[in-house]
Coordinates of all heavy atoms in Angstrom, one line a residue:
A159 N 136.1 141.4 -3.4 CA 135.7 140.3 -4.3 C 136.1 138.9 -3.7 O 135.7 137.9 -4.3 CB 136.3 140.4 -5.7
E160 N 136.8 138.8 -2.6 CA 137.3 137.6 -2.2 C 136.3 136.5 -1.8 O 136.5 135.3 -2.0 CB 138.2 137.9 -0.9 CG 139.4 138.7 -1.2 CD 140.2 139.1 0.0 OE1 139.8 138.7 1.1 OE2 141.3 139.7 -0.1
N161 N 135.1 136.9 -1.3 CA 134.2 136.0 -0.8 C 132.9 135.8 -1.7 O 131.9 135.3 -1.2 CB 133.8 136.3 0.6 CG 134.9 136.2 1.6 OD1 135.7 135.3 1.5 ND2 135.0 137.2 2.5
I162 N 132.9 136.3 -2.9 CA 131.7 136.2 -3.7 C 131.3 134.8 -3.9 O 130.1 134.4 -3.7 CB 132.0 136.9 -5.1 CG1 132.1 138.4 -4.9 CG2 130.8 136.7 -6.0 CD1 132.5 139.2 -6.2
M163 N 132.2 133.9 -4.4 CA 131.8 132.6 -4.7 C 131.5 131.8 -3.4 O 130.5 131.0 -3.4 CB 132.9 131.8 -5.4 CG 132.5 130.4 -5.8 SD 131.0 130.3 -6.9 CE 131.6 131.0 -8.4
K164 N 132.2 132.1 -2.3 CA 131.9 131.5 -1.0 C 130.5 131.9 -0.6 O 129.7 131.0 -0.1 CB 132.9 132.0 0.0 CG 132.7 131.3 1.4 CD 133.8 131.8 2.4 CE 133.6 131.2 3.8 NZ 134.6 131.7 4.7
T165 N 130.1 133.1 -0.8 CA 128.7 133.5 -0.4 C 127.7 132.8 -1.2 O 126.7 132.3 -0.7 CB 128.6 135.1 -0.6 OG1 129.5 135.7 0.2 CG2 127.2 135.5 -0.3
S166 N 127.9 132.7 -2.6 CA 126.9 132.1 -3.4 C 126.8 130.6 -3.1 O 125.7 130.0 -3.0 CB 127.4 132.2 -4.9 OG 127.3 133.5 -5.3
L167 N 127.9 129.9 -2.8 CA 127.9 128.5 -2.5 C 127.1 128.3 -1.2 O 126.4 127.3 -1.0 CB 129.3 128.0 -2.4 CG 130.0 127.6 -3.7 CD1 131.5 127.3 -3.4 CD2 129.4 126.3 -4.3
S168 N 127.3 129.2 -0.2 CA 126.7 129.0 1.1 C 125.2 129.0 1.0 O 124.5 128.5 1.9 CB 127.2 130.0 2.1 OG 126.7 131.3 1.7
R169 N 124.6 129.6 0.0 CA 123.2 129.7 -0.2 C 122.6 128.5 -0.9 O 121.3 128.4 -1.0 CB 122.9 131.0 -1.0 CG 123.3 132.2 -0.3 CD 123.2 133.4 -1.2 NE 123.5 134.7 -0.6 CZ 123.6 135.8 -1.2 NH1 123.4 135.9 -2.5 NH2 123.8 136.9 -0.5
L170 N 123.4 127.6 -1.4 CA 122.9 126.4 -2.1 C 122.8 125.2 -1.3 O 123.7 125.0 -0.4 CB 123.8 126.2 -3.3 CG 123.8 127.2 -4.4 CD1 125.0 126.9 -5.4 CD2 122.5 127.3 -5.2
P171 N 121.9 124.3 -1.5 CA 121.9 123.0 -0.8 C 123.1 122.2 -1.2 O 123.7 122.4 -2.3 CB 120.6 122.3 -1.3 CG 120.2 123.0 -2.6 CD 120.8 124.4 -2.5
P172 N 123.5 121.2 -0.4 CA 124.7 120.4 -0.7 C 124.8 119.8 -2.1 O 125.9 119.9 -2.7 CB 124.7 119.3 0.4 CG 123.9 119.9 1.5 CD 122.9 120.8 0.8
E173 N 123.7 119.3 -2.6 CA 123.7 118.7 -4.0 C 124.0 119.7 -5.0 O 124.7 119.5 -6.0 CB 122.4 118.0 -4.3 CG 121.2 118.8 -4.3 CD 120.5 119.0 -3.0 OE1 121.1 118.7 -1.9 OE2 119.3 119.4 -3.0
K174 N 123.5 120.9 -4.9 CA 123.8 122.0 -5.8 C 125.2 122.5 -5.7 O 125.9 122.9 -6.7 CB 122.8 123.2 -5.6 CG 121.4 122.9 -6.1 CD 121.3 122.9 -7.6 CE 119.8 122.8 -8.1 NZ 119.7 122.9 -9.6
Q175 N 125.7 122.6 -4.5 CA 127.1 122.9 -4.3 C 128.0 121.9 -5.0 O 129.0 122.3 -5.7 CB 127.5 122.9 -2.8 CG 126.8 124.0 -2.0 CD 127.2 124.1 -0.5 OE1 128.3 123.7 -0.2 NE2 126.3 124.6 0.3
N176 N 127.7 120.7 -4.8 CA 128.6 119.6 -5.5 C 128.5 119.8 -7.0 O 129.5 119.7 -7.7 CB 128.1 118.2 -5.1 CG 128.4 117.9 -3.6 OD1 129.3 118.5 -3.1 ND2 127.6 117.0 -3.1
E177 N 127.3 120.0 -7.5 CA 127.1 120.2 -9.0 C 127.9 121.4 -9.5 O 128.6 121.3 -10.5 CB 125.6 120.3 -9.3 CG 125.4 120.4 -10.8 CD 123.9 120.5 -11.2 OE1 123.0 120.5 -10.2 OE2 123.6 120.6 -12.4
L178 N 127.8 122.5 -8.7 CA 128.6 123.7 -9.1 C 130.1 123.4 -9.2 O 130.8 123.8 -10.1 CB 128.2 124.8 -8.2 CG 128.7 126.2 -8.6 CD1 128.0 126.7 -9.9 CD2 128.5 127.2 -7.5
N179 N 130.6 122.8 -8.1 CA 132.0 122.5 -8.1 C 132.4 121.6 -9.2 O 133.5 121.7 -9.8 CB 132.3 121.8 -6.7 CG 132.4 122.9 -5.6 OD1 132.7 124.0 -5.8 ND2 131.9 122.4 -4.4
E180 N 131.6 120.6 -9.5 CA 131.9 119.7 -10.7 C 131.9 120.4 -12.0 O 132.8 120.2 -12.8 CB 130.8 118.6 -10.7 CG 131.0 117.6 -9.6 CD 129.8 116.6 -9.6 OE1 129.0 116.6 -10.5 OE2 129.8 115.7 -8.6
L181 N 131.0 121.4 -12.2 CA 130.9 122.1 -13.4 C 132.2 123.0 -13.5 O 132.8 123.1 -14.6 CB 129.7 123.0 -13.4 CG 128.4 122.3 -13.7 CD1 127.2 123.2 -13.4 CD2 128.3 121.8 -15.1
M182 N 132.6 123.6 -12.4 CA 133.8 124.5 -12.5 C 135.0 123.7 -12.8 O 135.9 124.1 -13.5 CB 133.9 125.2 -11.2 CG 132.9 126.4 -11.0 SD 133.2 127.5 -9.6 CE 132.9 126.4 -8.2
A183 N 135.1 122.4 -12.2 CA 136.3 121.6 -12.5 C 136.3 121.1 -13.9 O 137.4 121.1 -14.5 CB 136.2 120.3 -11.6
K184 N 135.1 120.8 -14.5 CA 135.1 120.4 -15.9 C 135.5 121.6 -16.8 O 136.2 121.4 -17.8 CB 133.7 120.0 -16.3 CG 133.4 118.6 -15.7 CD 132.0 118.2 -16.1 CE 131.6 116.8 -15.5 NZ 130.2 116.4 -15.8
L185 N 135.1 122.8 -16.5 CA 135.5 124.0 -17.2 C 137.0 124.2 -17.2 O 137.6 124.5 -18.2 CB 134.7 125.2 -16.8 CG 133.3 125.4 -17.2 CD1 132.6 126.6 -16.5 CD2 133.3 125.7 -18.8
D186 N 137.5 124.0 -16.0 CA 139.0 124.2 -15.8 C 139.8 123.2 -16.7 O 140.8 123.5 -17.2 CB 139.4 124.0 -14.4 CG 139.0 125.2 -13.5 OD1 138.7 126.3 -14.1 OD2 138.9 125.1 -12.3
D187 N 139.2 122.0 -16.8 CA 139.8 120.9 -17.6 C 139.5 121.0 -19.1 O 140.1 120.2 -19.8 CB 139.4 119.5 -17.1 CG 139.9 119.2 -15.7 OD1 140.9 119.9 -15.2 OD2 139.3 118.4 -15.0
A188 N 138.6 121.9 -19.4 CA 138.2 122.1 -20.8 C 137.6 120.8 -21.4 O 137.8 120.5 -22.5 CB 139.4 122.6 -21.7
S189 N 137.0 120.0 -20.5 CA 136.4 118.8 -21.0 C 134.9 119.0 -21.3 O 134.2 119.8 -20.6 CB 136.5 117.7 -19.9 OG 135.9 118.0 -18.7
G190 N 134.4 118.3 -22.2 CA 132.9 118.4 -22.5 C 132.7 119.7 -23.3 O 133.5 120.4 -23.9
D191 N 131.4 120.0 -23.4 CA 130.9 121.2 -24.1 C 131.0 122.4 -23.2 O 130.2 122.6 -22.3 CB 129.5 121.0 -24.6 CG 129.0 122.1 -25.5 OD1 129.5 123.3 -25.4 OD2 128.1 121.9 -26.3
S192 N 132.1 123.3 -23.4 CA 132.3 124.3 -22.4 C 131.2 125.4 -22.4 O 130.8 125.9 -21.4 CB 133.6 125.0 -22.7 OG 133.6 125.6 -24.1
D193 N 130.6 125.6 -23.6 CA 129.5 126.6 -23.6 C 128.3 126.1 -22.8 O 127.6 126.8 -22.1 CB 129.1 126.9 -25.0 CG 130.0 127.8 -25.7 OD1 130.9 128.4 -25.0 OD2 129.9 128.0 -26.9
E194 N 128.0 124.8 -23.0 CA 126.8 124.2 -22.2 C 127.1 124.2 -20.7 O 126.3 124.4 -19.9 CB 126.5 122.8 -22.8 CG 125.4 122.1 -22.1 CD 124.0 122.8 -22.3 OE1 123.9 123.6 -23.3 OE2 123.1 122.6 -21.5
L195 N 128.4 123.8 -20.4 CA 128.7 123.8 -19.0 C 128.6 125.2 -18.4 O 128.2 125.3 -17.2 CB 130.2 123.3 -18.8 CG 130.4 121.8 -19.2 CD1 131.9 121.5 -19.2 CD2 129.7 120.9 -18.2
F196 N 129.1 126.2 -19.1 CA 129.0 127.6 -18.7 C 127.6 128.0 -18.4 O 127.3 128.7 -17.5 CB 129.7 128.4 -19.7 CG 129.9 129.9 -19.3 CD1 130.5 130.3 -18.2 CD2 129.4 130.9 -20.2 CE1 130.6 131.6 -17.8 CE2 129.5 132.2 -19.9 CZ 130.1 132.6 -18.7
H197 N 126.7 127.6 -19.3 CA 125.3 127.9 -19.2 C 124.7 127.3 -18.0 O 123.9 128.0 -17.2 CB 124.6 127.5 -20.5 CG 123.1 127.8 -20.5 ND1 122.7 129.1 -20.7 CD2 122.0 127.0 -20.4 CE1 121.3 129.1 -20.7 NE2 120.9 127.9 -20.5
K198 N 125.0 126.0 -17.7 CA 124.5 125.3 -16.6 C 125.0 126.0 -15.3 O 124.2 126.2 -14.3 CB 124.8 123.9 -16.6 CG 124.1 123.0 -17.7 CD 124.5 121.6 -17.6 CE 123.8 120.8 -18.7 NZ 124.2 119.3 -18.7
L199 N 126.2 126.3 -15.3 CA 126.8 127.0 -14.1 C 126.1 128.3 -13.8 O 125.8 128.6 -12.7 CB 128.3 127.2 -14.3 CG 129.2 127.7 -13.2 CD1 130.6 127.2 -13.3 CD2 129.2 129.2 -13.2
G200 N 125.9 129.1 -14.9 CA 125.2 130.3 -14.7 C 123.8 130.2 -14.1 O 123.4 131.0 -13.3
N201 N 123.1 129.1 -14.5 CA 121.7 128.9 -14.0 C 121.7 128.6 -12.5 O 120.9 129.0 -11.8 CB 121.1 127.8 -14.8 CG 120.5 128.2 -16.1 OD1 120.4 129.4 -16.4 ND2 120.3 127.2 -17.0
I202 N 122.8 127.8 -12.1 CA 122.9 127.5 -10.6 C 123.2 128.8 -9.8 O 122.6 129.0 -8.8 CB 123.9 126.4 -10.4 CG1 123.5 125.1 -11.0 CG2 124.1 126.2 -8.9 CD1 124.5 124.0 -11.0
L203 N 124.1 129.6 -10.4 CA 124.5 130.8 -9.7 C 123.3 131.8 -9.6 O 123.1 132.5 -8.6 CB 125.7 131.5 -10.3 CG 127.0 130.8 -10.1 CD1 128.1 131.5 -10.9 CD2 127.4 130.8 -8.6
K204 N 122.5 131.8 -10.7 CA 121.3 132.7 -10.7 C 120.4 132.3 -9.5 O 119.8 133.2 -8.9 CB 120.6 132.6 -12.0 CG 119.4 133.5 -12.1 CD 118.8 133.5 -13.5 CE 117.7 134.4 -13.6 NZ 117.1 134.5 -15.0
E205 N 120.3 131.0 -9.3 CA 119.4 130.6 -8.1 C 120.0 131.0 -6.8 O 119.3 131.5 -5.9 CB 119.4 129.0 -8.2 CG 118.5 128.4 -7.0 CD 118.4 126.9 -7.1 OE1 118.8 126.4 -8.2 OE2 118.0 126.3 -6.1
A206 N 121.3 130.9 -6.7 CA 122.0 131.3 -5.4 C 122.0 132.9 -5.2 O 121.9 133.3 -4.1 CB 123.4 130.9 -5.4

């Protein structure tokens, strides 16, 4: 399981990688609407 996220990130263009990292950081900080952030993160990973 060590490289799952690394593999997914490598398949995304730089702007999507940045967006994904920002969403994960916001979830870690519990800032904003966590359910909406989680949904957006899932949509990006689905693309990857």
Side-chain angles (χ1 to χ4, degrees):
E160 297 175 357
N161 294 318
I162 292 175
M163 185 57 70
K164 182 179 179 180
T165 298
S166 295
L167 278 169
S168 72
R169 297 170 175 174
L170 294 169
E173 62 273 17
K174 287 286 187 178
Q175 293 184 27
N176 292 335
E177 183 179 359
L178 190 66
N179 285 325
E180 289 173 5
L181 287 169
M182 289 190 292
K184 288 179 180 179
L185 280 171
D186 287 340
D187 292 340
S189 60
D191 186 333
S192 59
D193 285 350
E194 181 63 22
L195 293 172
F196 185 56
H197 182 70
K198 289 180 178 178
L199 187 149
N201 283 340
I202 294 175
L203 286 175
K204 183 173 182 177
E205 180 178 345

